[in-house]
Structures are given as structure tokens and as C-alpha cells.
Amino acid sequence: MVQTPLRTTTLEDFLLLPDTKPASELIDGKIIQKPMPKAAHSVIQGSLTTAINQALQSDKEACALPELRCAFDGVAIIPDITVLPWELIPRDASGMINGDLLSPPTWMIEILSPGQSQSKVVKKILHAIDSGTEIGWLIDPAEKCVFSYQPERIIELWEVSSGTLPTPAFASNFYLSVAELVGWLYA
């Protein structure tokens, strides 16, 4: 499915609109519906969210949240996985986890789907990095690789033969290689 702009609007007006299925994002003032995920995307998203939370959630270091809307600097994006240090998890007045993130994600992870524009996903990650995101991953299941994006436009390619993927400092207890990630697709 190709991402097609539906109409233009402001961030404030966009946040008042009802949710869509699949979810919609606001990028460059345009409302764009995300593509429907396929099996490989879903397996990686579920397994990676679980693995991160098993490593980081029990000690309240961080939490991986799938499909969390992040609204900041005129955009509203929904990374496939947003990982936040514990103290940055959005909560309501009672302290319950709730609501959108009204800042850039600290660590964002995108999983490329068939037919999805890699350029549009990279632009989304770079906008988040420029706005304060510490690290972004772009996982390409078809190519069995991960691109990591960091401030100062540092971009690295990680393949099955590479070592452990980079993580932000708050996630130093989480280790994963591309080989382990790709292995989930053959389980």
C-alpha cells in the first residue's frame, strides 16, 4: 500500500480528529495513512517489544510501546515501537499510563513494510533525530538489515554478520543482534 496524503491540516487540528485504521500520521502538514503491516512486520514488532520490555521494564528503566502517537514540532508520527525511559512515559493526573507522547520519542523503531517508501520513513526518523530523538532504527526484514540513525547524522548499517545493535544509554541492559532479530522470522 502506498502512503497517500488525505488532506492538509495543522497539528492542533489533527490531534482533534478521530483515529483511523490503519493509523494516520501528520507529516509536512499532510495526513498520511500508515500501510497495513504484513506478517514479518508483526512478528518483529511483537517479538522486539517483548524482548525490550523483558530487559528493561522490571527495573523501571524503560518501556517499549507499540504504535504510540508522538506529537512534536508540527508532526504527529506513530513509530512501530517507541522506547521511553521510565520517567518519560505519558501518564494521566492519577499516574496511570495514558495518552499521546507530546515530544519526540527517545528511541524510535520503524519496520519497513512491502510497498512502503523507505525515503519517507527515513525522513520521519531524521526529523525526530533533529528534534531530540537519541536513536532511530529502521528494520528492513526483506534485506535482513537494520539502519541506525543518531544525532549528527551518524548512520550505520547493521547486517546479520554485525555485532550487537546500538541502543541509547538508558537501554544499556538490552542486547540484540540482527541475526537474533532475523531469527524471529524463522521461528
Side-chain angles (χ1 to χ4, degrees), residues 124-145:
K124 185 167 58 167
I125 292 170
L126 292 175
H127 181 82
I129 293 285
D130 290 343
S131 297
T133 293
E134 292 180 25
I135 191 166
W137 285 2
L138 173 57
I139 300 170
D140 187 335
E143 295 295 324
K144 299 179 177 125
C145 68

Side-chain angles (χ1 to χ4, degrees), residues 40-62:
H41 181 286
S42 295
V43 165
I44 291 172
Q45 185 178 28
S47 298
L48 184 53
T49 300
T50 299
I52 292 169
N53 283 336
Q54 285 176 341
L56 303 175
Q57 204 171 31
S58 63
D59 290 334
K60 296 185 177 181
E61 294 171 88

Side-chain angles (χ1 to χ4, degrees), residues 151-177:
E152 274 100 63
R153 301 290 181 154
I154 297 171
I155 302 167
E156 296 177 296
L157 170 64
W158 297 84
E159 298 179 285
V160 172
S161 60
S162 302
T164 303
L165 289 161
T167 59
F170 70 85
S172 61
N173 290 329
F174 177 71
Y175 305 96
L176 182 71
S177 69

